[in-house]
Amino acid sequence: MADRENKYDRVKAYDRNDWSFGLNVSRAEKLLQKLSLDEPVKNVNDAIEAYNVGKILSNPDVEIKSIKNSKEVQEKLKKQYFRFFNQITNTNMVEIYEAINIRYLDDFWSLFEKSNKYKIIDESIIRQLLDCENRTIYYILQNRNTTQSYGKCLREYMLAAEKSAEILIRKYIEKKPPTQPTINIPDTFTGDDYKTILNKYIDYPGANLNYLRAIFNAPNSGEFPIDEHIRLKVKKRIEDIEKKIFDPNSAIHTSITIGIGKTRNPVDTEYSVPLNLKIIYSESWLKKYLDFPTILNNFIYLVGLIDLDGRCILTEYATDKPSFLKFIGVRGKKEYQMSLVQHMRINAMVSSLAAYRDFLQNFHVRLEDVIPWFFKEYLKNEFQAEGFLFGVPTIIDADADSSIQLLTQFDRVLKEFHYYASDGTINQELMEMSSNPVPIKAISSLLKDKYLYANSPEIKYTMVQLFSDQSDLTIIAKKGQSDEKYTYEENFVSLIKKHQVFDQDFENYQRGALQLLKKKNVIEIASNGLIKLNKIKCSILWELYEYGVINAYYYNRNPRRKQCIENMIATEDVRYENTLFSIPEQNILNYILNKSQYSDGTDLRNKYIHGTYSLDRNTQYNDYLMILLIVIVTVLKINEEFCLKHPEENFIEWC
């Protein structure tokens, strides 16, 4: 095979949000200044480059002032590249294909389809091209008519190729961004073909661990069946690979050290090195306060299970995973795919719970006894909320039976609270009418206008432009100097805070995003062009971006923030929802307890209720701690509801 052209300075029409979008607009403008539109192009790469220039010109966000009649230019470019593709035949097809620029393979097959070449190029030529470049199959499958025209040879190729399963995973399992092209599968495929390809990939020595995990976590479906035999086989293959990767000599180490000892403060936290966390709780503090209200209070102010704005910290944060990592690996359509940072945060909470539970037992206090006290005594005495039942039997060992007992009571109390929030009372006869648990997302709140979420596409895009390192507005060039000086920060807000930035510092391709920020009143542009931030609105949008939710009852204490929120409600940029758990909290609870929402969930509730839990005692102990942690989160969230609903009765410290 001849060497492909490997030039990276040709014009490529990437997606509007791609970092190199502006650079390619500039390249297109320079090319058009020297390109003769009335002459035929010389080779396939010139033809495809003309196609990319045309795509850039057709983008409504692009305005090239040196082009007087964009539509006319686009028509002339179209004639150039179609004239070249009309000359492709069986005789010259392979030679032309071998000369394509490495970045233009996808564009070639798009133009192949648009020019109807699949009607005249023989199947034997396509077989040669499949062997010519291993990515060819992926690009062909992005074009429906071409895929179906060569269905027989494409099927044969995919059955023989060891990595074909990765294509099927991308189509049926992976959660695709909107810009990712659709993959077509030949109509000639049968159900057995899918099984053959999956088995071949599992046995393949070069199988990617991320793809194997995607197969294991994928839900079974009619269009892409994965039976339990394949799932078990892939599970064993994953375990085999992980043993080789995560050995004691692995390059990446994380650790969490939780202890109770002598400290100056109630709690000391230390990150000695990145990903190594050390937390020490004060023994004297914990020993001094052994009453039930303070024990629950400690989970907020000492352990930090709930933050001071009422959010559970087990949830996913926007900054948990650097943006570039979001494009690495495979994320299934129904996968939660927890980040390492969130995983460490949850492990720290579970370890803190275990240490605190053991500490209390030394003083003959059972942490589990706090829970029925809260529902039977505290809610009744302080808020006259009657009818809650939570019976925790004597739990000697934190084992499978303990988890089953705790989960049963947990399901019951969630249903009780749902009925109490909806009806103002708990009707036990009504409770007994249905044996099904209430879905976590359906559990009502006692409060009106409780959780605030970003609502409109414009405000969501605004938050990306403000806070993401993928924003168009992270870089500016100071003009008027002999050499352009580029200034870059991790996001737009940091850029404005650290530098004097003017409207004229931004390029044409950045103008649309900048005007949106002005329209949404998050920036002000002075008469001299200096840009300033609306700090109140930016702070609210930051909370929504980072945590995904705001409990408005905390924010409404500040009149300026309250007014800003009311203005955004009026424009439908944000919305209220009234549930016990926020959406990020619902997501992590569903991930831990079941698989109704996420295919990679740990499924603890169903495993224990239906008797499919692990027989390993250490696993059972860890599972019990996680379930107990979730019950405590629920206690804290319900307590918050009553305290916010009845602020005049909120005289207990831990409220």
Side-chain angles (χ1 to χ4, degrees), residues 512-554:
L514 199 65
Q515 288 304 311
L516 176 62
L517 299 191
K518 185 179 179 181
K519 174 186 174 184
K520 290 301 176 183
N521 193 32
V522 294
I523 63 169
E524 177 185 345
I525 302 177
S527 57
N528 66 347
L530 182 66
I531 297 175
K532 293 184 178 180
L533 297 172
N534 179 336
K535 294 181 180 179
I536 292 292
K537 191 161 189 178
C538 281
S539 68
I540 293 171
L541 293 179
W542 163 250
E543 298 274 333
L544 290 173
Y545 176 78
E546 172 70 347
Y547 304 108
V549 64
I550 286 174
N551 187 322
Y553 278 73
Y554 294 92

Side-chain angles (χ1 to χ4, degrees), residues 379-638:
L379 291 182
K380 179 180 178 181
N381 295 336
E382 302 302 331
F383 302 104
Q384 292 73 54
E386 300 189 32
F388 286 94
L389 301 175
F390 196 104
V392 178
T394 302
I395 296 174
I396 300 174
D397 296 317
D399 57 9
D401 289 338
S402 306
S403 292
I404 293 169
Q405 294 166 4
L406 199 56
L407 283 165
T408 302
Q409 297 301 319
F410 174 69
D411 278 354
R412 181 185 186 90
V413 84
L414 286 183
K415 185 180 286 189
E416 288 173 344
F417 182 81
H418 176 68
Y419 280 115
Y420 186 89
S422 301
D423 305 336
T425 186
I426 299 172
N427 187 323
Q428 293 297 334
E429 289 184 326
L430 188 62
M431 287 266 301
E432 295 166 8
M433 292 293 291
S434 172
S435 60
N436 295 324
V438 179
I440 288 171
K441 68 178 181 180
I443 301 171
S444 306
S445 171
L446 298 174
L447 307 169
K448 181 184 178 184
D449 297 342
K450 179 184 179 184
Y451 288 127
L452 193 75
Y453 300 100
N455 187 50
S456 70
E458 277 194 341
I459 207 67
K460 292 176 183 177
Y461 185 64
T462 297
M463 294 191 299
V464 171
Q465 294 300 333
L466 286 171
F467 307 116
S468 172
D469 59 7
Q470 299 294 303
S471 167
D472 292 333
L473 306 174
T474 58
I475 189 169
I476 55 173
K478 294 288 187 180
K479 298 181 176 62
Q481 304 171 17
S482 56
D483 294 319
E484 284 191 338
K485 182 181 179 182
Y486 289 93
T487 302
Y488 171 81
E489 293 294 343
E490 63 179 349
N491 58 50
F492 175 76
V493 170
S494 295
L495 187 70
I496 300 300
K497 286 183 175 180
K498 295 179 181 181
H499 308 276
Q500 273 203 330
V501 180
F502 295 85
D503 174 63
Q504 56 266 32
D505 293 332
F506 293 94
E507 302 285 351
N508 285 338
Y509 77 92
Q510 298 171 303
R511 296 260 158 227
L514 199 65
Q515 288 304 311
L516 176 62
L517 299 191
K518 185 179 179 181
K519 174 186 174 184
K520 290 301 176 183
N521 193 32
V522 294
I523 63 169
E524 177 185 345
I525 302 177
S527 57
N528 66 347
L530 182 66
I531 297 175
K532 293 184 178 180
L533 297 172
N534 179 336
K535 294 181 180 179
I536 292 292
K537 191 161 189 178
C538 281
S539 68
I540 293 171
L541 293 179
W542 163 250
E543 298 274 333
L544 290 173
Y545 176 78
E546 172 70 347
Y547 304 108
V549 64
I550 286 174
N551 187 322
Y553 278 73
Y554 294 92
Y555 270 59
N556 287 342
R557 294 167 182 170
N558 183 309
R560 293 179 65 193
R561 284 186 170 185
K562 182 178 181 180
Q563 184 60 53
C564 187
I565 288 174
E566 288 177 356
N567 292 341
M568 286 194 284
I569 287 288
T571 58
E572 298 185 347
D573 280 332
V574 295
R575 73 181 193 280
Y576 284 122
E577 287 191 15
N578 306 314
T579 52
L580 173 61
F581 299 107
S582 69
I583 291 176
E585 291 164 351
Q586 295 167 23
N587 293 344
I588 187 60
L589 292 180
N590 279 328
Y591 169 79
I592 293 170
L593 293 174
N594 56 66
K595 287 195 174 183
S596 64
Q597 187 174 354
Y598 299 108
S599 59
D600 60 337
T602 57
D603 205 25
L604 290 188
R605 180 193 177 278
N606 293 329
K607 283 181 180 178
Y608 282 92
I609 295 297
H610 298 297
T612 57
Y613 51 81
S614 171
L615 300 180
D616 179 73
R617 292 301 295 268
N618 287 331
T619 301
Q620 291 181 13
Y621 173 70
N622 291 328
D623 289 347
Y624 175 78
L625 291 176
M626 178 60 77
I627 294 165
L628 180 58
L629 186 71
I630 289 173
V631 173
I632 291 172
V633 167
T634 304
V635 167
L636 298 177
K637 296 293 291 186
I638 290 176

Side-chain angles (χ1 to χ4, degrees), residues 4 31 46 60 75 125 169 234 237 272 301 352 357 407 421 430 435 438 457 489 518 522 559 563 587 591 609:
R4 289 201 179 281
L31 181 65
D46 289 346
E75 286 301 317
I125 302 298
I169 291 166
V234 78
R237 183 70 205 285
S272 55
Y301 297 102
S352 296
R357 180 175 179 269
L407 283 165
L430 188 62
S435 60
V438 179
E489 293 294 343
K518 185 179 179 181
V522 294
Q563 184 60 53
N587 293 344
Y591 169 79
I609 295 297

